[in-house]
Amino acid sequence: MTISRTLKCLAAIAAIAGAFVAGVVASRAEDAPAGDPVNGKRLYLADGCFECHGRAGQGGRFNYLTPALAQIALPVESFTAFLREAPNDMPSFSADVLSDKDAADIHAYLSSLPGPKAAKDIPPILN
């Protein structure tokens, strides 16, 4: 087999592998439940998430600093996995207690929150 023919075969294999990976990623994104921020807010308040993370997802202090969740950077799949095996004092939520759809709704609500202001937008404290 010539070098050019070998390179063409490798390019074809790479193209097939790339299409496969793209299809897997696209199908995982399509499988992720779409979130409803209105129901997510209801669940966030009803399940008591606000008690540690604040009503606006601003974070707070419980037995340790609790992270801000507004404008959450985690993908919905990672967020759901985190809820299933929560660390520290945070309760874990099994799928029997909080469905994947409910977790996606909470994620959509947290994503819809404005997040923290930039330091330049916070007025100075005057005494």
Side-chain angles (χ1 to χ4, degrees), residues 8-87:
K8 286 180 183 178
C9 285
L10 289 174
I13 291 169
I16 291 168
F20 175 75
V21 169
V24 168
V25 170
S27 69
R28 292 190 107 199
E30 290 170 4
D31 292 344
D36 174 11
V38 173
N39 188 49
K41 179 179 182 178
R42 183 189 66 74
L43 291 166
Y44 182 83
L45 296 173
D47 290 343
C49 306
F50 74 93
E51 293 174 10
C52 297
H53 297 284
R55 289 189 180 273
Q58 75 272 16
R61 184 165 183 83
F62 190 59
N63 290 338
Y64 49 88
L65 290 176
T66 54
L69 298 177
Q71 289 296 307
I72 190 163
L74 284 174
V76 68
E77 296 86 2
S78 299
F79 177 71
T80 303
F82 187 87
L83 292 175
R84 302 286 182 245
E85 298 289 332

Side-chain angles (χ1 to χ4, degrees), residues 33-36 39 43 80 84 98-107:
D36 174 11
N39 188 49
L43 291 166
T80 303
R84 302 286 182 245
L98 187 74
S99 70
D100 287 351
K101 172 71 170 108
D102 289 345
D105 290 351
I106 293 171
H107 186 274

